[in-house]
């Protein structure tokens, strides 16, 4: 997950009036029978959950540049073909290739204690013998700035409690360069997590090109960050040894997974649904984001099985390299530059396939109003909410080209407990909730691909 707030339209949402319920010229009731069949089929069994488990158990985590990612892509393409999906292909994308290597962090003084840590994606490594230095705990960029030269030669620890992902993530992304600017030799981060059982959370970081020195950066568990902070408050001085063998390698070839159900009347017009096939190099990337890819895939498989072929094409996309570059999302936009105007809607799931409330859309009031007319088809599974939201990372290049986009809006209560950790495994997902997510994908994709009119574009 790497969503960014978009402020395309700030007008208040159009109120939904209950009767008559119409999607453009057609009453939404036109689509009720097909929607019910799709929902029934999705809720009938645990097929989608089983597939998430098989994919992630078999290949494990799937970081860009890894053989595991490419094997998972091969398997997915093969299974999509076996399911009878159409135009199944891998679309080439060059992706960032960072490797973690061995790594560790240890509190040396006032007592020795191993620290649960994960280097941040994109970080440089330490010198061979590691970095051993005093630690200064700060609580914000302002706090860091106030310390001035006091952090020179030290390891800076950002102990910033989780509020919202977007607000807390800035320390993960930019903390190393901010600390380096003041002469720090390494950066540690309190994991970006809403709950912790001593579990470090990785994630991407980047170096500010205006800061000459690139220092190693790693996340430590919330508990250890709080421990170090308490020690500092008591006036105890702490020393930590950080060892990281991380490397940034040349970009590597990868692929976006693409499969279709061709439209029966307007095959050139496309509704895109999907998630990202890559993951961090910890856990199994089940929640983030095999679930998104599989739920979209399953939605189209069910349409195929039920003999529902809408007017327009529905294209499932499993983007590569969302986690550390969004090179897949950018490559998709470049590959489809000539027909981006034919993309009528793009719906992504990248917040875990937990219980869905509906969708969060990015676009004009009239676009939201049109989606709100479709929403009641999902009332029976409690997924009829349409709110204004933010773009998911992989569809953002499409949003920038004017394509109406939305994301699945799910119960995120537990998402940041497991996000980017070794605990992102399929057991965290409820098969019933996964099935509901399949239904949300299926109903929106089907109706938007079938209805005579198209959603208003963003420009
Ligand atoms: Zn994700």
């Amino acid at each position: 997950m790497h969503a960014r707030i978009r402020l395309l339209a700030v007008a208040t949402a159009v109120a939904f009036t209950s009767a008559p319920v119409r999607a453009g010229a057609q009453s939404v009731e036109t689509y009720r029978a097909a929607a019910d069949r799709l929902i029934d089929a999705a809720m009938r069994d645990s097929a989608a959950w089983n597939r998430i488990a098989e994919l992630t158990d078999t290949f494990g985590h799937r970081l860009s540049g890894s053989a595991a990612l490419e094997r998972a892509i091969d398997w997915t393409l093969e299974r999509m073909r076996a399911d009878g999906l159409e135009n199944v292909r891998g679309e080439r994308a060059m992706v960032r290739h960072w490797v973690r290597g061995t790594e560790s962090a240890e509190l040396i003084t006032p007592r020795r204690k191993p620290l649960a840590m994960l280097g941040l994606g994109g970080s440089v490594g330490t010198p061979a013998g590691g970095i051993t230095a005093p630690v200064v705990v700060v609580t914000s960029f302002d706090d860091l700035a106030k310390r001035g030269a006091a952090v020179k030669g030290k390891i800076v620890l950002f102990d910033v409690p989780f509020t919202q992902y977007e607000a807390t993530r800035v320390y993960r992304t930019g903390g190393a360069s901010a600390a380096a600017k003041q002469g720090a030799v390494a950066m540690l981060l309190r994991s970006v997590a809403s709950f912790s059982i001593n579990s470090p959370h990785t994630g991407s970081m980047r170096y500010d090109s205006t800061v000459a020195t690139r220092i190693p950066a790693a996340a430590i568990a919330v508990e250890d960050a709080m421990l170090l902070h308490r020690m500092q408050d008591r006036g105890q001085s702490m020393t930590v040894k950080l060892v990281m063998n991380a490397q940034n390698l040349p970009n590597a070839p990868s692929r976006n997974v693409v499969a279709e159900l061709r439209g029966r009347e307007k095959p050139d017009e496309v509704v895109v649904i999907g998630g990202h096939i890559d993951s961090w190099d910890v856990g199994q990337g089940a929640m983030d984001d095999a679930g998104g890819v599989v739920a979209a895939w399953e939605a189209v498989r069910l349409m195929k099985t039920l003999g529902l072929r809408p007017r327009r094409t529905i294209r499932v996309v499993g983007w590569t390299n969302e986690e550390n570059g969004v090179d897949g999302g950018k490559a998709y936009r470049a590959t489809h530059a000539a027909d981006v105007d034919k993309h009528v809607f793009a719906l992504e799931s990248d917040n875990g396939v937990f219980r869905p409330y509906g969708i969060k859309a990015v676009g004009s009031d009239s676009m939201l109003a049109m989606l709100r007319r479709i929403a009641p088809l999902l009332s029976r599974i409690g997924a009829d909410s349409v709110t204004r939201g933010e773009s998911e990372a992989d569809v953002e290049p499409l949003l920038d080209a004017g394509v109406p986009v939305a994301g699945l809006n799910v119960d995120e209560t537990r998402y940041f407990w497991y996000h980017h950790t070794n605990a992102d495994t399929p057991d965290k997902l409820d098969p019933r909730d996964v099935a509901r997510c399949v239904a949300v994908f299926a109903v929106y994709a089907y109706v938007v691909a079938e209805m005579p009119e198209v959603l208003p574009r963003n420009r």
Side-chain angles (χ1 to χ4, degrees), residues 383-395:
D384 56 356
S385 158
V386 177
T387 55
R388 190 174 290 288
E390 55 218 44
S391 176
E392 299 299 347
D394 300 299
V395 294

Side-chain angles (χ1 to χ4, degrees), residues 193-195 197 199-201 282-283 287-288 354 413-425 427-429:
S194 58
F195 181 76
I197 45 171
S199 42
H201 297 234
V282 292
M287 193 189 75
D288 185 13
F354 295 106
T413 307
R414 301 187 304 280
Y415 188 67
F416 292 105
W417 298 5
Y418 311 123
H419 183 248
H420 298 177
T421 73
N422 278 303
D424 182 357
T425 46
D427 48 280
K428 306 305 184 304
L429 300 168

Side-chain angles (χ1 to χ4, degrees), residues 83-367:
D83 284 347
L85 272 54
E86 298 149 15
N87 294 332
V88 177
R89 60 197 188 264
E91 292 183 348
R92 191 180 162 88
M94 292 301 289
V95 296
R96 265 155 263 207
H97 190 190
W98 175 82
V99 291
R100 175 176 305 281
T102 55
E103 58 183 17
S104 64
E106 190 185 5
L107 180 63
I108 304 293
T109 57
R111 67 178 168 98
R112 294 190 78 125
K113 178 191 186 296
L115 303 173
M117 63 81 79
L118 282 172
L120 297 181
S123 175
V124 297
T126 60
I131 291 172
T132 304
V135 175
V136 176
V137 184
V138 301
T139 55
S140 66
F141 288 124
D142 281 349
D143 188 17
L144 171 70
K146 278 187 212 135
R147 312 254 168 180
V151 304
K152 194 169 165 55
K154 306 210 171 123
I155 297 173
V156 165
L157 164 61
F158 283 93
D159 180 30
V160 183
F162 184 90
T163 48
Q164 286 174 329
Y165 186 62
E166 310 300 330
T168 316
R169 187 185 57 174
V170 295
Y171 292 95
R172 189 187 78 205
T173 313
S177 286
K181 215 179 215 169
Q182 287 178 222
V185 292
M187 186 278 265
L188 295 177
L189 175 80
R190 170 182 172 139
S191 285
V192 178
S194 58
F195 181 76
S196 182
I197 45 171
N198 205 42
S199 42
H201 297 234
T202 190
S204 63
M205 59 82 63
R206 63 184 150 69
Y207 293 108
D208 181 340
S209 59
T210 67
V211 180
T213 314
R214 298 181 159 212
I215 62 172
I220 62 173
V222 169
E223 290 89 336
D224 285 337
M226 296 175 84
L227 166 72
L228 294 173
H229 199 161
R230 290 195 300 273
M231 286 175 162
Q232 175 169 288
D233 286 349
R234 285 185 205 108
Q236 292 171 304
S237 50
M238 305 88 71
T239 309
V240 161
K241 179 179 183 184
L242 178 68
V243 181
M244 290 172 62
N245 286 298
Q247 278 185 287
N248 285 292
L249 301 176
N251 285 0
S254 184
R255 291 158 291 166
N256 289 324
V257 170
V258 178
E260 296 176 344
L261 182 65
R262 295 293 285 173
R264 66 169 196 280
E265 271 181 32
K266 296 183 168 179
D268 295 346
E269 296 185 7
V270 179
V271 171
V272 166
I273 58 174
H276 63 86
I277 188 78
D278 68 304
S279 77
W280 278 107
D281 58 337
V282 292
Q284 293 184 194
M287 193 189 75
D288 185 13
D289 181 27
V293 176
V294 170
W297 167 10
E298 186 70 3
V300 169
R301 187 185 72 80
L302 293 177
M303 276 177 232
K304 180 95 189 168
T305 305
L306 297 172
L308 292 168
R309 184 178 293 273
R311 200 181 303 268
R312 301 182 185 84
T313 294
I314 300 177
R315 180 179 294 158
V316 179
V317 183
W319 286 277
T320 190
N321 183 240
E322 189 276 342
E323 294 295 3
N324 55 337
V326 199
D327 291 328
K330 292 170 195 159
Y332 180 88
R333 166 80 172 80
T335 301
H336 296 275
D339 69 336
V340 72
D341 293 346
K342 299 281 191 185
H343 285 63
V344 302
F345 187 43
L347 177 60
E348 176 168 18
S349 168
D350 190 16
N351 293 289
V353 278
F354 295 106
R355 185 169 187 120
Y357 300 131
I359 57 170
K360 46 188 178 134
V362 192
S364 64
D365 287 344
S366 56
M367 174 217 177

Side-chain angles (χ1 to χ4, degrees), residues 26 180 337:
Q26 302 275 324

